[in-house]
């Protein structure tokens, strides 16, 4: 389909720098199906796909990125590299995401200011994804992005700001305002059987 072709082209271009794509359409129109097909094909060709689905029923911090960080931690554990440069504040991420504790020996600084803590966690997240993106092609996919919480948006916005060489795909009812102006918008209409 044309939608898959746009995503394939975007992934090829992402090896040179961050590409963001917003897959947009009404609820139930087939956005998730389009991206799932693409993600399956990309993974079969060797891309590392980090994905998460947001829900309006879940009310926990970082709910939109929890499974992305879990997948990232599993990748790092499965591909240990003592020479891999981890961000200085990786320990802050491990406090919020215990799966990262196994892959970082960094101690988290004690920060009284919650804004500084969130800002430094966000920068560490962007830096950590950047490290992995230099090792393998990466697709980060956030489904139902309209339900993303503020903490997750802060991490994802930092990822976009860090601009690692990866493809960042969000599927949502409308293009999220926190995505860069360069985001490619892919409008999805009703899917056919093909």
């Amino acid at each position: 389909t044309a939608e898959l072709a746009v995503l394939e082209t975007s992934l090829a271009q992402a090896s040179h720098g961050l590409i963001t794509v917003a897959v947009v359409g009404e609820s139930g129109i087939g956005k998730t199906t389009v991206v799932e097909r693409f993600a399956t094909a990309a993974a079969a060709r060797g891309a590392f796909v980090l994905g998460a689905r947001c829900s309006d029923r879940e009310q926990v911090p970082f709910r939109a990125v929890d499974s992305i960080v879990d997948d990232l931690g599993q990748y790092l554990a499965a591909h240990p590299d003592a020479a891999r440069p981890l961000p200085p504040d990786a320990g802050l991420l491990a406090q919020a995401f215990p799966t990262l504790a196994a892959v970082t020996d960094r101690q988290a600084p004690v920060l009284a200011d919650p804004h500084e803590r969130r800002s430094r966690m966000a920068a560490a997240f962007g830096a950590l994804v950047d490290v992995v993106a230099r090792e393998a092609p990466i697709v980060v996919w956030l489904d139902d992005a309209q339900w993303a919480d503020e903490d997750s948006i802060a991490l994802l916005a930092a990822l976009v700001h860090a601009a690692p060489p990866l493809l960042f795909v969000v599927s949502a009812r409308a293009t999220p305002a926190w995505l860069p102006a360069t985001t490619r918008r892919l409008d999805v209409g009703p899917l056919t059987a093909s």
Side-chain angles (χ1 to χ4, degrees):
T1 67
E3 293 92 353
L4 291 174
V6 169
L7 291 168
E8 293 290 342
T9 300
S10 296
L11 178 57
Q13 294 169 341
S15 65
H16 303 291
L18 176 73
I19 301 290
T20 56
V21 178
V23 180
V24 178
E26 297 174 27
S27 179
I29 200 82
K31 302 177 298 291
T32 300
T33 300
V34 166
V35 181
E36 281 176 342
R37 287 180 188 166
F38 162 73
T40 300
R45 287 190 315 280
F48 179 41
V49 179
L50 301 166
R53 178 167 286 138
C54 301
S55 171
D56 63 335
R57 292 178 278 246
E58 200 174 8
Q59 299 300 319
V60 295
F62 304 110
R63 67 181 176 264
V65 294
D66 191 46
S67 63
I68 291 171
V69 175
D70 286 350
D71 290 346
L72 189 59
Q74 290 172 9
Y75 174 88
L76 292 168
H79 301 88
D81 182 353
R84 180 184 287 130
L86 295 179
D89 285 333
L92 284 172
L93 286 172
Q95 283 182 338
F97 304 100
T99 57
L100 292 180
V103 296
T104 181
D105 59 358
R106 309 272 178 167
Q107 293 295 325
V110 177
L111 300 173
D113 181 0
H115 298 290
E116 180 184 5
R117 184 174 193 276
R118 184 163 85 168
S119 174
R120 288 176 60 177
M121 279 181 64
F125 176 68
L128 189 60
V129 173
D130 184 57
V131 165
V132 175
R134 306 220 179 260
E135 298 175 10
I138 292 185
V139 176
V140 176
W141 172 33
L142 182 61
D143 192 26
D144 285 332
Q146 69 270 7
W147 304 119
D149 59 287
E150 284 185 39
D151 291 315
S152 295
I153 290 171
L155 290 187
L156 293 167
L159 174 65
V160 169
H161 180 73
L166 62 81
L167 175 59
F168 182 41
V169 179
V170 298
S171 47
R173 293 179 187 165
T175 303
W178 49 269
L179 288 177
T182 57
T183 297
R184 299 171 183 179
R185 182 181 166 114
L186 182 57
D187 291 296
V188 175
L191 298 179
T192 62
S194 63

